[in-house]
């Protein structure tokens, strides 16, 4: 990786990577909120409600893991690095961490529900839909705030250091 071109390629990769992950998570939770709401509303087609709940729950479990992994990468790599470089951003970063906490709490609650049998889950569908919808809204809002901050900050970090950041992030 010696030419400027390849460094640039790798650099835009970090910014793209962050955008890609945010879009991925936003869409995932949006879709899941809609799917659970449809099931709760009885839009089940030919499939049994319990089967749909079981499948949607498995997908939700994967989405929750993806989200927690993403938070971890941000808190252990991006936020630490950003705070070191730009101490003036401390309160912005604290607000982002606070939002992670709120989303993690809802995530834990959902995790707990998902360990129940589909029949029991089906009975609790409405409250699950509410929590999932509020989580989805939080993900949306958080992504917006975070993207604004990241776009400003990442462009101020030298290209080779952004590449190192990406590599460190991938180790988590
Ligand atoms: Fe993020
Ligand atoms: Fe975040």
């Amino acid at each position: 990786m010696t030419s400027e071109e390849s460094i640039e390629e790798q650099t835009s990769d970090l910014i793209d990577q962050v955008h890609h992950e945010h879009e991925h998570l936003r869409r995932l939770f949006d879709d899941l909120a809609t799917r659970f709401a449809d099931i709760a509303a009885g839009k089940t087609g030919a499939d049994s409600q319990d089967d749909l709940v079981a499948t949607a729950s498995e997908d939700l479990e994967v989405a929750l893991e993806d989200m927690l992994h993403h938070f971890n990468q941000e808190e252990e790599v991006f936020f630490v690095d950003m705070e070191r470089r730009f101490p003036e951003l401390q309160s912005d970063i604290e607000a982002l961490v606070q939002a992670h906490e709120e989303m993690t709490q809802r995530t834990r609650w959902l995790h707990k529900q998902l360990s129940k049998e589909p029949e029991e889950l089906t009975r609790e569908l409405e409250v699950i839909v509410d929590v999932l919808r509020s989580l989805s809204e939080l993900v949306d809002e958080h992504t917006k705030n975070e993207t604004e901050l990241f776009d400003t900050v990442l462009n101020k970090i030298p290209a080779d250091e952004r590449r190192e950041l990406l590599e460190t992030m991938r180790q988590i």
Side-chain angles (χ1 to χ4, degrees):
M1 194 78 58
T2 47
S3 79
E4 230 181 84
E5 198 190 346
S6 54
I7 288 173
E8 272 314 306
E9 215 176 278
Q10 188 75 6
T11 300
S12 69
D13 201 7
L14 171 60
I15 296 173
D16 287 349
Q17 168 94 18
V18 169
H19 282 169
H20 171 80
E21 282 202 31
H22 281 167
E23 191 50 29
H24 167 72
L25 288 172
R26 218 184 48 75
R27 236 184 257 177
L28 217 55
F29 281 94
D30 220 41
D31 286 352
L32 279 163
T34 306
R35 262 171 76 193
F36 272 94
D38 282 351
I39 298 170
K43 298 182 192 165
T44 53
D47 300 307
S48 90
Q49 196 175 38
D50 286 353
D51 284 350
L52 285 176
V53 169
T55 311
S57 298
E58 279 167 26
D59 293 346
L60 176 57
E61 188 84 45
V62 174
L64 295 173
E65 293 301 330
D66 275 8
M67 189 172 72
L68 292 180
H69 182 237
H70 176 79
F71 289 172
N72 248 350
Q73 287 182 323
E74 286 180 341
E75 289 185 21
E76 295 194 11
V77 180
F78 279 128
F79 293 177
V80 174
D81 192 86
M82 272 159 54
E83 242 184 275
R84 186 175 54 81
R85 287 174 202 267
F86 312 104
E88 69 277 15
L89 292 180
Q90 198 194 354
S91 66
D92 291 298
I93 292 170
E94 272 169 19
L96 293 175
V97 172
Q98 183 57 39
H100 282 188
E101 282 301 313
E102 276 182 53
M103 290 185 279
T104 302
Q105 271 182 21
R106 283 171 173 76
T107 301
R108 287 212 188 97
W109 184 86
L110 283 164
H111 260 300
K112 237 193 253 166
Q113 312 312 307
L114 296 182
S115 62
K116 297 177 178 170
E117 292 299 316
E119 295 79 14
E120 200 178 340
L121 268 180
T122 301
R123 283 195 295 276
E124 292 177 7
L125 265 184
E126 276 179 22
V127 59
I128 289 174
V129 168
D130 278 350
V131 173
L132 199 48
R133 192 152 272 162
S134 76
L135 179 60
S136 175
E137 281 166 12
L138 275 179
V139 170
D140 261 2
E141 195 196 322
H142 175 71
T143 301
K144 229 177 280 160
N145 297 338
E146 207 166 67
T147 303
E148 270 172 33
L149 191 68
F150 279 8
D151 281 352
T152 321
V153 166
L154 284 177
N155 279 308
K156 288 185 193 158
I157 300 177
D160 56 335
E161 295 178 31
R162 286 196 290 201
R163 198 183 61 218
E164 273 172 43
L165 254 180
L166 177 65
E167 278 162 17
T168 312
M169 189 186 85
R170 284 184 172 150
Q171 285 163 15
I172 288 184

